[in-house]
Structures are given as C-alpha cells and as structure tokens.
Amino acid sequence: MSNHLSQKFEEIVGTGNVLASEVDRHNYAYDAAVLPPQLPALAVRPETPEALGRVVKTCNELGLPLTVRGSGTNLSGGTIPSEGGVVVLTGALNKIIEINEADMYAVVQTGVVTAKFAAEVAKRGLFYPPDPGSQAVSTMGGNVAENAGGLRGLKYGVTKDYVMGMSFYDVDGELVKTGSRTVKCVTGMNLHGLMVGSEGTLGVFNEIILKLVPPPKASKAMMAIFDDLGKASETVAAIIAAKIVPATLEYMDDFTIKTVEDFAHAGLPTDAKALLLIEVDGHPAQVEDEAAEVEAICKRIGATRIQVAKDAVERNKVWEARRAALSALARVRPTTVLEDATVPRSKIPAMVGALEKIAEKYKLTIGTFGHAGDGNLHPTILTDKRDHAEFTRVEAAIDEIFDVALSLGGTLSGEHGIGMAKSKYMVKEVGQGSIMYAKRLKAAMDPKNILNPGKITGA
C-alpha cells in the first residue's frame, strides 16, 4: 500500500519529493506540542501551486487524511498528522510574489518564513508587525492557520488583522479566491476571515494577500524592575488604564529572569522578582510623552529602578533575551509545557497570583513570561514526562490554569491555537452549540473529513 501511494504521489510531485522512509515518517509525526507522535504514511513536497492542488484532490479521492506542515513549530498539536495519513510540506512554496509599496500590500506563498518576509518588507520602507516567537523559522501559512500573535500584538494586532485575502484549495482541488488587494472589499462572503485560525481543517492555503503599514518614526524601550510580582502585574493594568498603548509590554517572573540571564547573558537583573519590558513607538514627540508617563506609572506603583535603552544595540539585546525565554526554560528539564491562556488585561494581577498558587499546590516549577499588555501570559511548566506521577500533577495544573483563565473572563488560547491539545476544553469556553455548528460547517466543506481531522473540535 505504501509503495502504491508513493508512486501515486510521485506522478504529481516528482520522485525526490515523496518521503516515505521510516526516518522521514518519524520526522513528521510530531510538532512542538507535548503529545504522542502519530506516524503518517508519507510526506509530500509540492513545488508548484498546481501540484499542491492535485495532492489535495488525490487525498480526497483516496480518503487519505491530509495535514499541511510548515516548520512544525505549532504548540498545540495542530500539525501532528493522522496515523497513515499524508503530510504536505510547504517548504518549496516559498516565493514572495509581490511587495507593493504604493498600495502597501504583499502577496506570498505559504512556505515563506515570517522573519524573512518582514525583513524584505522593511527593505522597502514598510512594516509587517506580527512577530511570533518562532518567527525565525515559522511560515506565513502556519501563522495564518493559527492566527499567530507576538510581542507587538498589544498595539498592532495579530495575523488576522493583516490578511486582506487569499486563495486556497478546497477538498476537490478547486482553487477558491477570496478578498482583494484593495483596502475595501465586500465582494462575496468573507471566506478568508473564516480560514484564518482554521488550523488547516477547511482548506489548503495557496497564496495570501497581506496588509503592510508604515513603520513608526521613533521608539523608546525600557526595563522596569520590581521586587514584587503583584506590583509588576498591577503596573500592567495601570498603564493600559491610563489609555497608553505601548508597542510591547512584556512580563517575566523571577525564575524566568534567572534562567534567561544564565542562557543569554543580556544583563538582566537576577535579583528582581519580576520585570516589565516596555516599548513605546510612534511620532517622536508622542514617544517622549508616553515614555515619561509610563516611567511615572512604574515608579508610582513600585518599580525599584527603570533602565532606558541608550541605543539600538542595547534595545535589541534586551528583546533578544525576551525572545530567548522559551529556549532558556526548555534547558531546565526534559519536558517543557508552554501554555497561553489569556485574560482581560485588568485581570493580569489575579492571573499571576493564581499561577503562583497553582505551582505551589501541585509542587511544580512554572516559569511565567509573556505578553502581559494584551493579557496573554505563557506559564511554562518544566517537568519530565517520563515521571508519570509528576506529569499527572502537570495535567491537573493545566486543567486548573484554564479554569482560572475562563473564570476571569479569559480564553483558552491567545495565539497558539487549539489543535489537539486543547480541544477537550472547548466546550467549557464556547459551549456545545458552537462546537456542533463548527462540525456541521466542516462536514459541509470536507465531507470525508480528510483536512487535518481531530483538530479544534476533536474527532
């Protein structure tokens, strides 16, 4: 059966683009989520849009589950394939088709790496704000499928705010076009809005049209240092309440600070209980005014000291340290469970306090960092999955983290998606009616349930 499938797909994508060895199958059996791997029958790497459409059509005709994979950085199991299914690799579909400076948009294929795209846009004097932590390797298709966020989400929004349109393949291999290169477009249903965050369950992306914006004229970054977690979290709420919207407003607890400093040697204060990394941007005069007001708020609530970056080198060093948080924490124990439960910004103090209590209750090491300005914290549980007793406590702690977030009016995921990891919790947040509606929608668009089955709403 495997040889027959290989030959079938080789006719579409070429001999060198069908990967069916045992090693290849294991390579694509998992992603960055802490979930059991599932072996696909094979992986295929289409090099043209036409081949991509034919692969989708063939999978549907044969009733083969299909999972699209960019770089596999997904943290919720969204790119773990079905047993015996087909993994579609987008790495060869990596062209930036157009960057239009006059009308401020771009058109990309799905395999374009996020950071590479942002850098090419910057060369043209424009700005693509979404900056997920995995941007150095994550792909634009994956960003859209998961509605990825990032450090700048507080001011600039997330991926959905920049998708103007797209084309995608339905299960019959037909190309569907939606949206436009124009600022306004109400032609037909907003299908691209439906596709954003759909985690590959409704169609297979071909090209994506993305909005670009002018870059800020000035910015100022600072680090506010606290001797108390509560004061740091209260400061976050106070800055937002003052009607100031920083470009970034990031949080690190003491364990994360020490771990990152040991890893990155960025000059972080290891004696601090918490710190906030804050950047304001915009017109130079506005930046100076808002930076002064933010400093005043930090001092009023209890920052022990505030360090303002003197130049771009100093600024970049601090932000590189923040981006290294997950890598640094992952060195501590064999298994890293990174969550992204998100709460209203005014509830950050309550969520931070709850995380401290949960870590103590279940006797676990939890390092917390994240996008505090938009309520999106990343409690990171450091454990060893081989220790069954400890991992049972981890699972109980995760349940409680989600329960607390929902009780505070929050959500299961701010940017990582639902995938397989969080599908069992969905009913708690959205109710059975929403789940059944989504299932009926998927059944209409994908009658054989081949498109990334088991994700978001479960089996």
Side-chain angles (χ1 to χ4, degrees):
M1 180 63 177
S2 182
N3 288 337
H4 171 71
L5 281 181
S6 294
Q7 292 169 6
K8 188 91 173 170
F9 285 106
E10 283 170 1
E11 293 171 4
I12 301 172
V13 300
T15 305
N17 289 321
V18 175
L19 310 172
S21 73
E22 194 73 10
V23 171
D24 288 326
R25 292 170 66 214
H26 279 280
N27 279 343
Y28 301 117
Y30 62 93
D31 60 14
V34 184
L35 292 169
Q38 297 187 167
L39 281 177
L42 47 78
V44 299
R45 184 171 50 217
E47 295 182 332
T48 65
E50 294 74 23
L52 176 63
R54 289 180 63 194
V55 166
V56 177
K57 182 178 181 179
T58 300
C59 285
N60 191 49
E61 289 174 345
L62 298 176
L64 289 171
L66 177 158
T67 297
V68 180
R69 183 185 179 101
S71 297
T73 56
N74 184 275
L75 287 157
S76 59
T79 45
I80 294 178
S82 298
E83 288 281 348
V86 174
V87 174
V88 179
L89 306 173
T90 63
L93 300 167
N94 58 6
K95 294 183 179 64
I96 298 174
I97 296 166
E98 180 184 6
I99 297 176
N100 189 305
E101 297 172 46
D103 293 319
M104 295 197 295
Y105 71 81
V107 184
V108 301
Q109 290 184 316
T110 59
V112 171
V113 172
T114 312
K116 177 183 175 183
F117 171 63
E120 290 299 317
V121 167
K123 289 178 185 177
R124 312 292 184 90
L126 292 169
F127 185 35
Y128 179 71
D131 58 338
S134 58
Q135 64 178 345
V137 290
S138 69
T139 61
M140 298 305 297
N143 290 355
V144 174
E146 297 294 335
N147 191 19
L151 276 66
R152 301 189 191 109
L154 168 60
K155 181 172 183 176
Y156 290 100
V158 296
T159 301
K160 69 178 181 182
D161 301 305
Y162 296 86
V163 177
M164 299 170 67
M166 67 170 66
S167 61
F168 63 90
Y169 289 102
D170 68 11
V171 291
D172 295 316
E174 292 290 333
L175 192 62
V176 180
K177 296 181 179 180
T178 170
S180 170
R181 289 164 166 78
T182 59
V183 174
K184 292 180 178 179
C185 175
V186 292
T187 304
M189 293 184 180
N190 182 14
L191 297 180
H192 53 289
L194 177 65
M195 299 302 289
V196 176
S198 62
E199 302 190 15
T201 61
L202 300 176
V204 176
F205 304 154
N206 175 45
E207 294 178 1
I208 305 163
I209 307 169
L210 296 159
K211 179 177 73 173
L212 307 176
V213 297
K217 293 182 178 179
S219 64
K220 180 172 281 192
M222 66 187 76
M223 178 165 58
I225 300 155
F226 295 84
D227 58 8
D228 180 80
L229 291 174
K231 291 177 183 176
S233 60
E234 288 168 22
T235 301
V236 172
I239 290 171
I240 301 302
K243 307 298 187 293
I244 299 170
V245 184
T248 49
L249 178 45
E250 298 288 303
Y251 168 87
M252 283 190 191
D253 69 5
D254 54 346
F255 183 82
T256 304
I257 294 166
K258 292 182 178 70
T259 305
V260 170
E261 180 58 23
D262 182 59
F263 175 72
H265 308 293
L268 299 182
T270 55
D271 60 334
K273 284 293 290 180
L275 60 81
L276 297 178
L277 302 173
I278 308 164
E279 182 166 309
V280 293
D281 68 6
H283 188 277
Q286 176 193 6
V287 167
E288 289 303 317
D289 288 347
E290 290 190 345
E293 194 169 351
V294 167
E295 282 192 62
I297 291 170
C298 291
K299 289 175 181 175
R300 172 167 58 79
I301 294 181
T304 56
R305 60 188 188 277
I306 297 170
Q307 297 176 5
V308 179
K310 298 181 182 67
D311 51 37
V313 173
E314 196 169 296
R315 168 193 177 274
N316 291 339
K317 191 173 183 181
V318 172
W319 288 117
E320 284 168 12
R322 161 59 187 87
R323 292 189 183 281
L326 179 57
S327 299
L329 290 167
R331 297 164 68 234
V332 177
R333 297 288 305 279
T335 306
T336 305
V337 182
L338 176 69
E339 290 301 344
D340 75 323
T342 302
V343 297
R345 293 172 291 198
S346 62
K347 304 297 183 184
I348 282 286
M351 192 69 206
V352 168
L355 289 171
E356 278 194 286
K357 292 176 182 175
I358 289 169
E360 184 178 346
K361 176 180 177 179
Y362 293 101
K363 298 180 173 58
L364 296 171
T365 300
I366 301 180
T368 299
F369 64 97
H371 322 304
D374 57 26
N376 185 193
L377 293 176
H378 293 312
T380 307
I381 306 174
L382 308 176
T383 182
D384 185 344
K385 195 171 183 180
R386 296 166 297 184
D387 184 335
H388 298 298
E390 181 175 84
F391 206 74
T392 297
R393 299 201 307 276
V394 169
E395 292 173 328
I398 292 170
D399 289 348
E400 193 161 331
I401 288 170
F402 288 143
D403 285 343
V404 170
L406 293 177
S407 73
L408 293 172
T411 184
L412 298 171
S413 178
E415 57 188 7
H416 294 169
I418 299 300
M420 297 167 66
K422 299 176 186 175
S423 60
K424 68 178 181 180
Y425 302 104
M426 280 283 286
V427 70
K428 289 186 175 182
E429 179 172 347
V430 302
Q432 192 63 32
S434 295
I435 291 172
M436 295 311 298
Y437 188 92
K439 286 187 173 183
R440 289 194 298 272
L441 179 65
K442 178 167 172 59
M445 299 176 74
D446 179 18
K448 294 183 182 178
N449 194 29
I450 68 153
L451 295 175
N452 214 14
K455 309 310 189 296
I456 304 180
T457 59

